[in-house]
């Protein structure tokens, strides 16, 4: 009943509005496009299709892309920027390895799996660990950690030169800007007055920070989740975010959904 709870919460917000303006002020976040489509379909059955279409509904990454396209200058991006796919990221990583005299993939005697390297960089970015902070500890861990830290160091500059962002930047760069740019923060807080999040137990540090900054002191954040269903620890999700929610957001009203109707 978690997703249904969010749908009903959205309906309650809609019923408070006589001119539909609040429809455009609601942001709902899910973890998959499939879940977002399912939520929108449920809403369309309960309210008009036009009203449901006003809701900004999608994943953290689609939200980040939307924010960047609406105000690219906030995120130090050109009007026309590129979102790199995994193949592009692998290409940048391979190039950085070659420049460092290290070969990845099928080339050379020493082989490093590109996926393992980019995964480490992704975890560092989402945990707000800078290239400088990653390098020294990595030297005392595995060869993979050290190589990944060496690649991570020039990586942001390469993206900047290309006028591009990678998949992680769609959350991490959003979080950093909201943390450090008060003008951008004020704009986006005024853009989204009501926040709803499905499967909150799967949020990582960067995603949590995006929500914390957007919510501000307005206290219009509604999340649903189950700490027994956290499945994304391998990509940085921290189940503690749901366990400490009432500490992060004082004054929280908690409702337990303990009856299973299946």
């Amino acid at each position: 009943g978690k997703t249904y709870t969010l749908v009903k919460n959205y309906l309650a917000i809609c019923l408070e509005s006589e001119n539909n303006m609040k429809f455009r002020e609601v942001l709902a976040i899910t973890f998959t496009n499939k879940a977002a489509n399912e939520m929108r379909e449920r809403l369309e059955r309960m309210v008009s299709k036009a009203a449901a279409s006003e809701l900004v509904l999608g994943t953290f990454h689609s939200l980040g892309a939307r924010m960047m396209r609406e105000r690219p200058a906030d995120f130090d991006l050109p009007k026309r920027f590129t979102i790199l796919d995994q193949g592009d990221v692998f290409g940048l990583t391979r190039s950085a390895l070659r420049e460092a005299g290290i070969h990845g993939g099928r080339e050379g005697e020493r082989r490093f799996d590109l996926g393992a390297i980019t995964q480490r960089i992704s975890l560092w970015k989402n945990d707000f660990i800078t290239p400088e902070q990653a390098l020294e500890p990595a030297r005392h861990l595995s060869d993979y950690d050290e190589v990944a830290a060496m690649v991570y160091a020039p990586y942001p500059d390469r993206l900047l030169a290309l006028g591009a962002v990678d998949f992680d930047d769609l959350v991490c760069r959003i979080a950093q800007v909201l943390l450090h740019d008060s003008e951008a923060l004020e704009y986006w807080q005024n853009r989204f007055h009501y926040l709803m999040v499905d499967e909150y137990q799967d949020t990582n540090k960067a995603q949590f920070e995006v929500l914390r900054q957007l919510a501000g002191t307005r206290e219009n954040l509604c999340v649903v989740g189950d700490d027994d269903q956290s499945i994304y620890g391998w990509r940085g999700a921290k189940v503690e975010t749901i366990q400490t929610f009432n500490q992060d957001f004082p004054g929280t009203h908690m409702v337990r959904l303990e009856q299973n109707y299946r």
Side-chain angles (χ1 to χ4, degrees):
K2 297 193 300 296
T3 302
Y4 182 72
T5 298
L6 285 189
V7 171
K8 295 293 285 187
N9 188 53
Y10 174 68
L11 291 177
I13 293 171
C14 293
L15 291 174
E16 292 178 1
S17 174
E18 296 181 358
N19 56 11
N20 289 3
M21 288 302 294
K22 286 188 178 179
F23 294 0
R24 304 182 186 94
E25 298 172 354
V26 180
L27 167 63
I29 296 177
T30 65
F31 274 82
T32 65
N33 291 321
K34 180 180 178 181
N37 292 334
E38 178 187 341
M39 188 182 294
R40 196 176 295 279
E41 289 173 2
R42 289 190 187 188
L43 284 168
E44 289 176 356
R45 291 195 294 266
M46 296 180 183
V47 297
S48 69
K49 190 172 183 178
S53 68
E54 295 288 349
L55 172 68
V56 179
L57 170 59
T59 64
F60 276 100
H61 296 91
S62 67
L63 168 66
R66 184 189 188 108
M67 293 171 69
M68 287 178 173
R69 291 190 179 107
E70 185 171 330
R71 286 169 60 98
D74 283 353
F75 309 100
D76 198 23
L77 290 170
K79 289 184 179 180
R80 294 186 178 181
F81 63 91
T82 304
I83 300 175
L84 303 185
D85 61 21
Q86 187 179 53
D88 297 325
V89 171
F90 279 5
L92 282 180
T93 305
R94 188 180 292 110
S95 175
L97 287 171
R98 287 173 180 164
E99 289 184 11
I102 303 168
H103 295 292
R106 299 178 180 177
E107 301 179 14
E109 296 179 0
R110 189 177 186 185
R111 299 180 180 179
F112 286 93
D113 179 70
L114 296 176
I117 291 173
T118 57
Q119 174 69 4
R120 282 167 168 79
I121 294 174
S122 173
L123 290 173
W124 285 329
K125 289 179 74 171
N126 280 281
D127 217 22
F128 295 163
I129 296 174
T130 66
E132 294 75 20
Q133 291 170 334
L135 189 57
E136 184 58 33
R139 288 173 177 155
H140 305 288
L141 298 173
S142 69
D143 288 346
Y144 263 103
D145 290 293
E146 185 174 5
V147 168
M150 292 171 61
V151 172
Y152 186 24
Y155 187 72
D157 291 333
R158 289 172 179 267
L159 289 175
L160 184 64
L162 291 171
V165 296
D166 65 14
F167 198 60
D168 292 308
D169 285 329
L170 298 178
V171 178
C172 299
R173 190 175 297 194
I174 301 293
Q176 293 286 3
V177 168
L178 295 178
L179 271 167
H180 300 113
D181 187 333
S182 58
E183 183 180 345
L185 175 62
E186 182 180 5
Y187 173 85
W188 291 109
Q189 284 182 339
N190 289 332
R191 174 69 176 80
F192 301 119
H193 287 195
Y194 303 87
L195 310 178
M196 299 187 292
V197 186
D198 199 7
E199 305 296 357
Y200 183 75
Q201 76 279 350
D202 290 324
T203 52
N204 62 27
K205 184 173 182 178
Q207 292 164 343
F208 164 77
E209 199 59 56
V210 169
L211 292 173
R212 189 170 74 92
Q213 294 302 317
L214 288 177
T217 59
R218 194 177 284 125
E219 298 184 349
N220 282 338
L221 172 63
C222 173
V223 308
V224 294
D226 184 344
D227 55 2
D228 286 332
Q229 294 184 2
S230 181
I231 60 174
Y232 289 119
W234 58 274
R235 69 179 190 190
K238 299 182 183 299
V239 70
E240 293 84 1
T241 58
I242 193 168
Q243 295 171 339
T244 62
F245 186 88
N246 58 349
Q247 299 172 30
D248 297 322
F249 301 96
T252 293
H253 175 61
M254 182 183 300
V255 178
R256 296 187 181 274
L257 307 176
E258 298 179 328
Q259 178 64 50
N260 190 334
Y261 291 94
R262 292 182 179 176

